[in-house]
Amino acid sequence: MTTIRDNDVEKEAMKRDFYHLIINGEKVKSSTGETIKTYNPATGELVAEVAKASKEDAEKAVAAARDAFDNGKWKKSTIGRRAQVLNKIAAIMRARFNELVELEILDTGKSLQAAQGQVSQAIEDFEFYAGAIVGHRGTVNNVPGQFHNYTEKEPVGVCAQIIPWNYPLMMAAWKVAPAIAVGCSVIVKPASLTPLTAIILGEICLEAGVPAGVVNVLPGSGSEIGNFLVEHPQVDKVAFTGSTPIGKDIMGKASQTLKRVTLELGGKSPNIVFEDADMEAAVDGSLFGIFYNSGQSCEARSRLYVHEDIYDDFMIKFVEKTKKLQLGNPFDKGTHVGAIIDQGQLDTIDGYVQSARKEGAEILVGGNVAKPEGYENGFWYEPTIIANVNHDMTVVKEEIFGPVVVVMKFKDEKEAIRLANDTEFGLGSAIWSKDGARATRVANQIQAGIVMVNCPFSAFPGTPFGGYKQSGFGRELCIETLDLYSETKSILSYYGSRPLNPFGL
């Protein structure tokens, strides 16, 4: 495996400047000839041109996926065979690790450290589900008399999988791996801003032995292609990761055909630091919790609650370390915070910060658009800490999706829980305390799908990931995800020696 270096990496990744749709096992251009241009958020420079799917292309992809599911061999293949192919996908991804990391950085502007970790997890997702599918089976149930009841797990069918721009490859892996593991066919709709690694993943699936039509990839407009797939009567399930408003819209449209739906939506996750916390660990974990991936993460711990007894000491350290975070070349190992995805998101982030200023909040550090040397044409925002806030302020209530954290004091455990739960969201949360009993008590009362205790990490293959309230429903990244792509069929049989005569006629 080669070493990632600044200029060599970018030159290698730029050798390919056009990316196709993947429909029915073939790389094709759009039926309209239209394309999407993708840009490097760190520099503003063109990265590649991508075929832009039309509704005609989407119809072809649905037909291919439907035929592959109804008449193909994939869902009928043995679990061992499917596991073997998933492991081969992982092996090819591992062999192309640097290429995937390079493309993810060029397409998203994220830091090298972040990209490497996310590509690694994407690989591990396929390995995890290759093992998990072996144990995915039905049950034998106790029923009265001379009856026998057992259940079988069957793939749900054709699945539309709509991928966000903040974790392009990792989120694609979260969805594709469990779906094809159980025997479904999928149509992947990557975000228009970041389609490259999802397309490469589709190509790798074909190379690994996934039959034509089982994995299709359609970069294109979410409002056009995404909605087309959600409303299509031949699509059986939709899995979406993205904003809560769009998730609500998808849920409404999918209800017209009673599609199965999995939604992983927005968040405004609390991060609670008690007075007995390990100060250094809490500071470092809180730093990572909000500024990792430039804060463009649905479970970013963007509401920080610090016990009043340690607030001053904590904030001195937290502000000091925030000021040391490095922005700039994403390929440099010393860069901590990468770029913002585009100008629109940059404007949104700055708009929230300016609203906080108008409402009387105090900007302790940051609060401005950044211009790292040599990357002045990219989209950057300073890591920002906002204090003197309350729960009526917009920056406290709404998801900012950027490197911005709001900080408040609390006086006791009861208040911490109340403040943490005072939100319409319920995705992630974090607790810092050396008291195991307290951590357990608080964790049990937090209304969120993920609680991190003395730990800044929220997801490993095998750990359920998903939200409460308006953060969505369904769990990804775990064994239970296989059930979201399955139907349970109950088979009841009678083995008595006498024929049944219920009416007694």
Side-chain angles (χ1 to χ4, degrees), residues 115-434:
Q116 288 176 324
Q118 292 159 29
V119 172
S120 293
Q121 189 184 112
I123 295 168
E124 291 165 4
D125 292 339
F126 283 94
E127 294 170 336
F128 172 77
Y129 283 109
I133 190 60
V134 176
H136 190 241
R137 57 177 68 92
T139 59
V140 177
N141 304 307
N142 292 323
V143 290
Q146 295 174 316
F147 293 91
H148 179 63
N149 177 230
Y150 66 95
T151 64
E152 290 184 344
K153 298 289 186 180
E154 297 182 349
V156 73
V158 175
C159 305
Q161 303 185 315
I162 303 174
I163 313 302
W165 50 256
N166 57 331
Y167 295 105
L169 181 62
M170 195 173 78
M171 291 292 103
W174 281 26
K175 290 173 172 55
V176 172
I180 67 173
V182 301
C184 292
S185 295
V186 302
I187 304 161
V188 180
K189 212 301 286 182
S192 298
L193 292 171
T194 57
L196 303 186
T197 49
I199 295 171
I200 296 294
L201 176 60
E203 295 173 1
I204 289 173
C205 287
L206 293 172
E207 182 183 347
V210 176
V214 173
V215 175
N216 307 274
V217 186
L218 293 180
S221 165
S223 60
E224 182 180 12
I225 304 305
N227 285 337
F228 182 85
L229 295 173
V230 170
E231 295 173 339
H232 201 292
Q234 293 299 312
V235 172
D236 302 297
K237 175 184 169 62
V238 176
F240 170 76
T241 296
S243 73
T244 295
I246 294 177
K248 291 177 180 179
D249 184 60
I250 286 173
M251 190 173 176
K253 288 183 169 69
S255 71
Q256 299 307 302
T257 49
L258 290 180
K259 288 177 173 59
R260 280 76 176 132
V261 179
T262 302
L263 299 174
E264 195 267 280
L265 307 175
K268 192 72 177 177
S269 300
N271 184 24
I272 305 170
V273 182
F274 285 100
E275 70 275 18
D276 65 341
D278 181 318
M279 179 75 76
E280 293 300 324
V283 168
D284 291 341
S286 300
L287 204 71
F288 182 89
I290 181 58
F291 298 126
Y292 174 75
N293 214 55
S294 305
Q296 299 173 123
S297 188
C298 47
E299 55 23 297
R301 276 71 80 196
S302 55
R303 290 185 293 138
L304 175 58
Y305 301 102
V306 183
H307 192 277
E308 59 187 12
D309 289 352
I310 62 166
Y311 181 87
D312 291 340
D313 289 342
F314 181 93
M315 291 308 299
I316 289 171
K317 295 178 183 295
F318 189 57
V319 168
E320 182 181 280
K321 288 201 171 184
T322 298
K323 290 179 178 178
K324 293 180 179 179
L325 292 172
Q326 296 297 309
L327 285 67
N329 182 1
F331 288 96
D332 189 327
K333 292 181 179 180
T335 297
H336 302 106
V337 181
I340 305 303
I341 191 65
D342 67 359
Q343 185 65 52
Q345 186 59 26
L346 188 66
D347 292 342
T348 295
I349 294 166
D350 193 52
Y352 275 111
V353 174
Q354 300 315 318
S355 76
R357 282 192 168 106
K358 290 178 182 178
E359 293 182 70
E362 180 184 4
I363 312 300
L364 299 183
V365 63
N368 299 293
V369 172
K371 296 290 182 182
E373 185 178 353
Y375 293 85
E376 292 85 359
N377 294 325
F379 313 114
W380 302 84
Y381 205 82
E382 295 175 347
T384 300
I385 302 172
I386 305 178
N388 192 28
V389 296
N390 60 64
H391 272 230
D392 293 325
M393 291 184 175
T394 304
V395 287
V396 177
K397 294 189 293 184
E398 297 183 12
E399 184 177 40
I400 298 173
F401 224 64
V404 180
V405 61
V406 295
V407 191
M408 286 163 275
K409 298 178 184 179
F410 69 91
K411 63 181 178 180
D412 56 29
E413 188 176 308
K414 184 177 180 180
E415 184 182 25
I417 294 167
R418 179 181 63 79
L419 291 170
N421 290 335
D422 183 20
T423 176
E424 65 185 23
F425 299 109
L427 186 54
S429 58
I431 300 166
W432 300 89
S433 173
K434 294 178 182 177

